[in-house]
């Protein structure tokens, strides 16, 4: 019996005209369409004037693990399973990863019908370096957890891309400015490819103030410039960063190791300086 395949297909993130001919064909011909939201899928098909040819099943974060074997059985039987999320590429902050892992472990074919991506679109429009980048998804909602996550990114040498909810974006930008630096360049990209698309660029502090005043709405990506390149830093220049990471919950020795390596200084000297600073001026000799 011929083995089928799983196809991860990107759907429009805004403008429906970004749908590829291949996506249209797959919607019409796949044996099963596994959709994050079946109602949104049918709405997309209607806008594309495409008749979905196969069976439609829900495939979201709450049932992905339970649904996986059912979908793999379709592939084993020679069928094509099309996996789509509400917008963009499945598995990128969307369902799909669990199914892909299960298919890989079972030795079943997985391929992709590439297309729109909020991550890459925001990166391209940000005006920030694109040669090296990383996707961080959504930061933690709790202030302490968010600060710890940002502290771990202080020396990140790649451009960073985040997703954020509109009602939290001002708070997140404020935290970024505090931890990563007021003058770190960034861009807030919202409603990409949609009617009210907007990209606001500037230092993090300015963007935090803008977000607080403007109350931006819609789907939002935040792109942040990489950490500035360091020369041969002085030990004293790095103590504040070590203490900030320790205050955020990181073990002092681990913080010293990472900061010393990034700054090109002695771990022993930085550790000693951090201990003295932590004890306060009265302990210095």
């Amino acid at each position: 019996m011929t083995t089928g395949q799983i196809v991860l297909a990107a759907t429009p993130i805004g403008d429906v005209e970004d749908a590829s001919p291949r996506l249209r064909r797959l919607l019409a011909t796949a044996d099963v369409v596994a959709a994050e939201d079946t109602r949104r899928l049918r709405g997309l098909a209607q806008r594309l004037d495409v008749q979905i040819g196969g069976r439609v099943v829900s495939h979201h974060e709450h049932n992905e693990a339970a649904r996986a074997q059912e979908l793999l059985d379709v592939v084993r039987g020679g069928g094509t399973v099309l996996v789509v999320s509400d917008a963009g590429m499945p598995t990128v902050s969307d369902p799909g990863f669990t199914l892909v892992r299960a298919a890989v472990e079972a030795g079943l074919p997985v391929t992709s019908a590439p297309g729109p991506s909020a991550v890459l679109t925001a990166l391209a429009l940000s005006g920030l370096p694109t040669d090296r980048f990383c996707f961080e998804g959504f930061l933690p909602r709790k202030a302490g957890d968010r600060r710890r996550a940002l502290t771990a990114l202080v020396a990140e040498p790649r451009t960073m891309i985040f997703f954020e909810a509109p009602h939290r974006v001002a708070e997140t930008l404020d935290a970024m400015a505090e931890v990563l630096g007021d003058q770190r360049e960034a861009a807030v990209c919202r409603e990409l490819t949609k009617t009210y698309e907007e990209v606001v660029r500037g230092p993090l502090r300015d963007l935090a103030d803008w977000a607080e005043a403007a109350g931006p709405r819609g789907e939002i990506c935040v792109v942040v410039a990489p950490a500035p390149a360091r020369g041969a830093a002085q030990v004293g220049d790095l103590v504040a960063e070590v203490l900030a990471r320790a205050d955020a919950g990181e073990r002092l020795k681990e913080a010293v190791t990472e900061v010393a390596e990034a700054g090109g200084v002695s771990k022993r000297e930085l550790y000693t300086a951090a201990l003295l600073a932590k004890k306060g001026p009265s302990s210095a000799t």
Side-chain angles (χ1 to χ4, degrees), residues 66-111:
R67 182 76 76 183
Q69 287 307 314
E70 173 190 341
L71 298 177
L72 293 185
D73 285 342
V74 174
V75 176
R76 291 188 182 97
T80 294
V81 174
L82 178 65
V83 180
V84 294
S85 60
D86 290 344
M89 177 60 69
T91 77
V92 182
S93 277
D94 278 328
F97 173 74
T98 299
L99 178 61
V100 171
R101 285 299 309 167
V104 170
E105 291 171 3
L108 295 172
V110 181
T111 188

Side-chain angles (χ1 to χ4, degrees), residues 13 65 120 153 155 162 218 220 272 281:
I13 60 175
L120 295 180
L153 296 171
F162 303 84
I220 293 176
T272 300

